[in-house]
Amino acid sequence: MDPISDFLTQIRNGIAARLKEISVPHSRLKYEIARVLLEEGFISNFRIDGDGPQKRIIISLKYLDDGSSVIRGIERVSRQSRRIYVGCDEIPRVMGGLGVAILSTPAGVMPDREARRRRVGGEIICKVW
């Protein structure tokens, strides 16, 4: 029903199964979320595979030397049934600043730190820590 929730669940399941890569159907929003996860150091890389309606995003999950995942938790905040919008002064800090809230703003999809710096609010898509 909700493609972003499915995307986040596939990441969680891939981590639980200790997979090196996961493959998800492509969408512009999923691409932007993957870009933010890469910039923030939660995944090691991602790429686009295929073309047209068969296009997929291949995400390389990142693990520490001891085998544990860099992503400790990932949860959807704003849902299709209940959208959560915040102003630039109301953006929550995830795990006291150790995690990242990913926002969809008029200036594009960005992490919470950048949204605060640029003084833009928007919809909180998810939290990652």
Side-chain angles (χ1 to χ4, degrees):
M1 208 53 135
D2 181 9
I4 302 305
S5 290
D6 294 343
F7 172 61
L8 299 178
T9 298
Q10 285 182 304
I11 291 174
R12 270 192 301 273
N13 290 344
I15 290 168
R18 301 217 184 280
L19 299 177
K20 290 185 180 194
E21 293 184 337
I22 60 165
S23 173
V24 296
H26 180 275
S27 79
R28 202 175 103 234
L29 184 57
K30 291 177 195 173
Y31 177 86
E32 291 298 320
I33 293 171
R35 180 188 57 79
V36 171
L37 289 173
L38 179 64
E39 287 173 1
E40 294 294 319
F42 287 108
I43 61 175
S44 58
N45 204 357
F46 74 97
R47 67 182 190 279
I48 306 299
D49 194 27
D51 43 311
Q54 305 303 320
K55 200 186 271 192
R56 298 188 71 76
I57 301 173
I58 312 298
I59 297 175
S60 300
L61 300 173
K62 190 173 184 180
Y63 297 95
L64 300 173
D65 292 335
D66 65 357
S68 63
S69 173
V70 171
I71 297 175
R72 301 284 184 202
I74 186 167
E75 75 177 21
R76 181 86 154 112
V77 176
S78 187
R79 304 177 192 282
Q80 285 183 330
S81 59
R82 185 161 177 357
R83 302 286 185 189
I84 307 294
Y85 295 96
V86 293
C88 62
D89 298 324
E90 303 163 342
I91 299 172
R93 296 198 184 278
V94 180
M95 301 286 287
L98 297 176
V100 175
I102 299 175
L103 285 85
S104 176
T105 70
V109 177
M110 63 184 68
D112 55 353
R113 284 186 284 277
E114 186 177 343
R116 278 190 212 94
R117 186 180 57 76
R118 294 169 97 178
R119 306 260 330 136
V120 293
E123 179 185 357
I124 304 175
I125 298 172
C126 62
K127 294 179 181 178
V128 187
W129 63 94

